[in-house]
Amino acid sequence: MSEALERLLVVGDLDTTITQLTHRRAGLADKSGLTALEASLVALDAETANAAGQRAALVAVQKDLEGQIATLTERRQGIEQRMYAATGSSTRDLQAMSDEARHLGERAAELEEQDLVAMVDQEPIDAELAALAIRRAPLAEQVVTLREQVALDGAEIDAELAAATATRAAEAAQLPGPLAERYEALRTRLKGSGVARLVGHRCAGCHLELAPVEVARIREASPDAVVTCDQCGRILIPT
């Protein structure tokens, strides 16, 4: 084959290598199990956030109840002090103050029961949060470890990609213009390499067999002839 076609094969092989490296780079997280672990961690964090939200709502209720209890207690104590300090007050006034103090005490007692319920309701949520934290710890540790490994593997692949891309650019720059343009158009359309070897009767690009007459025509063509696979359209070079 001609020197130009030999170089085109080199460019095609490099494009295949670059495509494979790119796919490997994109699939590192899935292959390593990192994606699945991160999804589990997200689900666990969602459970934790839901439980924490329920607890926060109960704490808010409890805080509001305690505020109301404090206000009622203060009012009741104020009335009781006025009763004890009252001189010359009528029995009716004293009875009214006593009734109000008793009512405030009863209302405060009701709120204290509700406060206790809110406090008790937090206990299973606290237990759930503790259990979720125990489950999360080793999972988070695994995620950190895998992220570090994926980053290392990614750096290695990036170095290989950079080297392959630089070599590819240097080789492609030496291709004849028309051949380079034709190849690039095929590469874009096929989303990969636009050239393939003819191995026996089979195109190494699409892996389909060509008719014996077509194979004979390709092998009898001049060394610098640019022929294509009638199945996939790649530039086909007999080896």
Side-chain angles (χ1 to χ4, degrees):
M1 71 186 75
S2 68
E3 180 182 348
L5 292 180
E6 285 183 4
R7 178 162 281 114
L8 185 64
L9 270 180
V10 172
V11 172
D13 289 342
L14 286 166
D15 280 336
T16 298
T17 297
I18 290 169
T19 299
Q20 291 170 344
L21 287 171
T22 301
H23 287 164
R24 275 179 56 201
R25 183 73 171 85
L28 278 177
D30 285 341
K31 188 175 181 180
S32 68
L34 176 58
T35 300
L37 279 176
E38 286 179 331
S40 297
L41 195 59
V42 167
L44 203 57
D45 286 343
E47 286 186 62
T48 301
N50 182 56
Q54 293 177 26
R55 188 184 189 283
L58 287 172
V59 169
V61 168
Q62 187 179 3
K63 185 177 180 180
D64 179 61
L65 288 170
E66 290 173 351
Q68 293 183 56
I69 292 168
T71 300
L72 291 172
T73 301
E74 184 179 358
R75 286 176 58 192
R76 181 176 58 80
Q77 289 174 346
I79 292 171
E80 289 175 344
Q81 288 174 1
R82 281 161 45 204
M83 286 173 62
Y84 295 143
T87 55
S89 297
S90 67
T91 303
R92 182 177 180 181
D93 289 340
L94 289 173
Q95 185 61 48
M97 285 190 286
S98 176
D99 289 344
E100 185 176 0
R102 179 175 52 78
H103 173 72
L104 291 172
E106 291 173 351
R107 179 55 181 160
E110 292 175 1
L111 294 179
E112 284 171 354
E113 289 183 8
Q114 295 177 30
D115 182 42
L116 181 60
V117 170
M119 187 182 301
V120 170
D121 286 348
Q122 290 175 44
E123 292 178 1
I125 297 177
D126 288 339
E128 181 184 0
L129 286 170
L132 288 169
I134 291 172
R135 287 170 55 194
R136 190 186 191 282
L139 196 62
E141 187 176 343
Q142 284 180 280
V143 167
V144 169
T145 300
L146 281 177
R147 281 176 179 167
E148 291 174 352
Q149 187 58 54
V150 167
L152 287 174
D153 293 344
E156 291 181 7
I157 294 175
D158 288 342
E160 293 181 54
L161 269 171
T165 300
T167 303
R168 194 262 185 208
E171 292 290 340
Q174 299 182 59
L175 289 173
L179 181 61
E181 290 176 7
R182 184 173 181 179
Y183 172 79
E184 290 298 335
L186 284 168
R187 184 173 73 90
T188 300
R189 179 171 66 82
L190 296 168
K191 296 180 173 56
S193 176
V195 63
R197 291 172 174 81
L198 175 62
V199 182
H201 287 194
R202 189 181 299 274
C203 167
C206 62
H207 307 291
L208 296 176
E209 286 198 5
L210 280 67
V213 174
E214 180 65 12
V215 172
R217 181 186 70 80
I218 292 172
R219 293 194 179 281
E220 290 169 3
S222 63
D224 59 349
V226 178
V227 295
T228 58
C229 172
D230 60 0
Q231 304 288 339
C232 65
R234 286 179 175 86
I235 297 173
L236 203 54
I237 299 176
T239 58

